[in-house]
Amino acid sequence: MCPSPSLSNTMERALVVLDDTDTHRDLLDEAVEIVRATGAELELFSWVTPDEFEQDVEALEAAGKAEGTTYSTASAHDIVRNFVDEVATDVFGNDVPEYDVSSAVAEDSAVADEILNAAEASGCDHIFLVGRRRSPTGKVLFGDVAQQVILNFDGHVTITMD
């Protein structure tokens, strides 16, 4: 993937949406190539659902009760930060670029809003995300994160399909 001339002149801060799939890892790799070529700053975004967050907190609390451990209750941002750091290390090895992390606790139906909020709060002018293939009926009934982001973001959006 090669940056277009129009992107290299305008991109200042990019938000890359991450989940735990190979497609998201590939997207991160490609987005970072563009970010490095343009000199833009990098923001990585991920989320946990309320149920996932509760399970993670319970697991950490249980581990903290075991003799000889020092785990403490983590915040949602800490949980997401650990996930993002693992993905970045997995993708880049020892050449991990500098980045900031945005996180959210959100139901799947609110993820698009959380992506848009994170992009706005961080001053991002470009969003990279993975879209899912859905039938037109599926989009109408269940919504589509990529479609909502495209329609509501005032900047460039790059989507790769899962």
Side-chain angles (χ1 to χ4, degrees), residues 6-27:
S6 64
L7 290 179
S8 64
N9 294 330
T10 62
M11 186 184 301
E12 293 181 20
R13 187 164 184 85
L15 181 83
V16 181
V17 179
L18 292 178
D19 200 349
D20 195 17
T21 67
D22 289 339
T23 306
H24 283 89
R25 284 170 166 68
D26 292 344
L27 175 68

Side-chain angles (χ1 to χ4, degrees), residues 73 142 150:
T73 301
F142 304 111
I150 290 169

Side-chain angles (χ1 to χ4, degrees), residues 67-88:
E67 192 173 320
T69 61
T70 58
Y71 289 104
S72 63
T73 301
S75 70
H77 184 74
D78 293 336
I79 291 168
V80 170
R81 178 74 200 212
N82 289 338
F83 164 73
V84 167
D85 289 345
E86 286 176 19
V87 171

